[in-house]
Amino acid sequence: MPISDENRKLYLNQAHALLDALESGSMDDAGTVLDDLTRLRETGLFQELGKLTRELHDTLRNFQVDARLSELTSSEIPDAKERLNHVITMTEQAANRTLSIVEQTFPRTEQLEKRAGELKAQWDRFRNRDMKVEEFRGLSKEIDEFLAWTADNATHIHHGMTEVMMAQDFQDLTGQIIRRVIKLVQEVEDGLVGLIRITGRTVKKEEEPTGQRDIVAEGPQVPKVGDTTKVVSGQDEVDDLLSSLGF
Amino acid sequence: MKILVVDDFSTMRRIIKNLLRDLGFTNTQEADDGASALPMLKQTQFDFLITDWNMPGMQGIDLLKAVRADPELAKLPVLMVTAEAKRDQIVEAAQAGVNGYIVKPFTAATLKEKIDKVFERIEAGG
């Protein structure tokens, strides 16, 4: 423990007094001097302890008023959880959307295969001249129906494929959300490293949370996160807003 | 009709390219942010630009502003297809001179409708 010049003088004086007392054989005086020395030492300890307590208190208080930190803990980390939950929801929806279309499409392709197989067998008989005129009339009608039905099926399958393709937009949207969370994790990591570095020292108070920011990209909106009144709920509201601006 | 599609996610570029092909636009090229898109726009004649907003590097809004500031490109029709859904952002894009604004997730029908609208207005001379 470092001691001040003043304290050093006090210790020195007491030491001289102790020596004098012992040399002169006065044990009572020596005892008094030892008591004083002990008190002197305890006072120093208490002062040091007090100083440490105060520093700790200041550090904790500064920590609470560190604007960025409180912003992180009070809103951004809960937001990040909400964002990641939203990612789960979106990927689940995309998977279900895709699977539903695939399930709807399979019966169509199976039917197509089956019907084409049946007609092929009859067509082969016709080509081998193994078919009566009456029967051919029936086949001709069936082929006619099959072609119309095939065209209709192709349209359905095409729509289904477009739908499957659109469902893949989750990759972009969730990717943007996850990137934002990664940025937050990075910031928390940097904060923790900083915290370790400043332990015992006072934290510099940073500027207030940035309420007014320039317009920056934020990625997809997440339900229950942020001020939803500032956000459009869909393309209709975008169109309304733009038409109010003369578009 | 030559179209440049700008988005940092390749899946989204593929989706937009496929939708465009379905609509009959087969001549498309891709860029992954504004910084790579701008030289392409300056080098070759494009008729239409479809861009995302939020991209690392040069963002879509800055690409839009750069296009409008360049006398050679200023008249290029620009459609934004983005997840950015704040009113302030839409106003900002409108003020920067965007021709159409679509929020993700969007549908094939919305893309068709907005492209048609952009060209209708251009043909009408406004």
Side-chain angles (χ1 to χ4, degrees):
Chain A
M1 192 193 318
I3 53 169
S4 63
D5 278 354
E6 200 187 340
N7 266 350
R8 201 170 50 85
K9 248 179 231 162
L10 275 172
Y11 274 110
L12 205 61
N13 288 341
Q14 295 287 357
H16 282 308
L18 181 63
L19 257 173
D20 290 348
L22 287 172
E23 277 170 355
S24 65
S26 165
M27 290 314 286
D28 282 355
D29 284 353
T32 314
V33 175
L34 271 173
D35 283 349
D36 286 348
L37 259 174
T38 311
R39 208 171 304 122
L40 190 63
R41 182 156 175 76
E42 277 174 356
T43 313
L45 262 176
F46 283 133
Q47 276 172 353
E48 195 60 30
L49 195 62
K51 218 174 98 195
L52 275 174
T53 310
R54 200 164 48 246
E55 275 179 8
L56 184 65
H57 178 77
D58 287 350
T59 308
L60 289 175
R61 209 184 42 202
N62 281 331
F63 214 55
Q64 277 164 4
V65 296
D66 184 313
R68 184 65 194 133
L69 188 79
S70 72
E71 199 177 63
L72 277 175
T73 49
S74 67
S75 69
E76 296 204 14
I77 288 177
D79 277 5
K81 286 192 277 185
E82 207 56 62
R83 283 177 204 286
L84 291 178
N85 275 324
H86 189 56
V87 166
I88 295 176
T89 310
M90 285 176 90
T91 50
E92 188 185 347
Q93 279 171 353
N96 283 327
R97 202 169 145 197
T98 306
L99 290 171
S100 300
I101 295 156
V102 169
E103 283 164 8
Q104 286 160 19
T105 307
F106 272 145
R108 286 183 187 277
T109 56
E110 277 161 18
Q111 273 292 100
L112 210 55
E113 215 179 336
K114 186 169 160 258
R115 197 77 192 102
E118 287 166 4
L119 288 172
K120 174 81 168 73
Q122 292 187 60
W123 183 247
D124 285 348
R125 274 177 52 220
F126 168 73
R127 302 236 310 169
N128 293 333
R129 297 167 199 283
D130 182 18
M131 188 177 277
K132 294 198 177 95
V133 178
E134 273 310 303
E135 211 184 335
F136 177 71
R137 281 207 189 104
L139 174 64
S140 161
K141 195 167 164 264
E142 276 180 52
I143 290 177
D144 199 45
E145 280 166 7
F146 176 72
L147 292 176
W149 182 74
T150 304
D152 183 48
N153 250 323
T155 309
H156 264 99
I157 293 169
H158 187 103
H159 284 156
M161 291 293 133
T162 305
E163 192 66 11
V164 166
M165 185 179 73
M166 293 311 290
Q168 308 313 306
D169 68 357
F170 81 92
Q171 205 271 330
D172 166 19
L173 300 174
T174 58
Q176 291 190 54
I177 293 171
I178 291 172
R179 265 191 199 153
R180 235 184 119 158
V181 175
I182 291 173
K183 223 174 107 193
L184 173 69
V185 170
Q186 179 70 52
E187 199 181 335
V188 171
E189 187 188 336
D190 292 347
L192 286 175
V193 170
L195 180 63
I196 291 163
R197 205 181 301 128
I198 52 114
T199 312
R201 271 183 265 154
T202 48
V203 187
K204 199 174 82 202
K205 189 184 168 188
E206 282 182 21
E207 67 272 21
E208 287 299 302
T210 42
Q212 279 294 314
R213 245 176 278 184
D214 284 343
I215 289 174
V216 291
E218 300 183 10
Q221 291 297 324
V222 176
K224 291 185 273 181
V225 171
D227 184 358
T228 48
T229 58
K230 290 178 179 165
V231 175
V232 295
S233 66
Q235 188 64 38
D236 285 347
E237 280 189 36
V238 176
D239 295 349
D240 289 348
L241 178 58
L242 285 177
S243 74
S244 76
L245 295 166
F247 269 69
Chain B
M1 167 86 64
K2 195 167 174 183
I3 305 178
L4 182 63
V5 178
V6 190
D7 199 303
D8 53 329
F9 281 90
S10 63
T11 42
M12 184 47 75
R13 293 200 301 271
R14 279 174 73 180
I15 290 173
I16 293 175
K17 276 184 77 172
N18 279 306
L19 288 173
L20 289 172
R21 200 203 54 214
D22 244 18
L23 297 173
F25 304 111
T26 48
N27 192 0
T28 49
Q29 284 195 36
E30 302 175 31
D32 61 5
D33 81 328
S36 54
L38 203 54
M40 289 172 79
L41 290 168
K42 284 179 177 171
Q43 221 165 56
T44 357
Q45 167 87 38
F46 280 94
D47 304 297
F48 195 39
L49 170 63
I50 297 180
T51 182
D52 184 21
W53 181 319
N54 189 11
M55 296 176 284
M58 189 185 195
Q59 307 238 333
I61 188 73
D62 298 322
L63 176 63
L64 171 63
K65 287 174 184 169
V67 163
R68 291 291 175 255
D70 185 321
E72 295 283 311
L73 301 173
K75 290 220 154 102
L76 179 69
V78 180
L79 176 66
M80 282 202 112
V81 180
T82 171
E84 303 303 322
K86 285 247 170 90
R87 289 169 194 283
D88 291 351
Q89 293 171 315
I90 298 162
V91 172
E92 164 100 357
Q95 283 166 352
V98 83
N99 298 83
Y101 197 102
I102 296 177
V103 281
K104 294 174 186 169
F106 63 103
T107 64
T110 303
L111 183 67
K112 180 177 176 358
E113 185 196 319
K114 299 306 163 198
I115 291 177
D116 286 348
K117 214 169 150 193
V118 166
F119 287 110
E120 259 170 44
R121 199 171 293 124
I122 286 167
E123 274 157 31

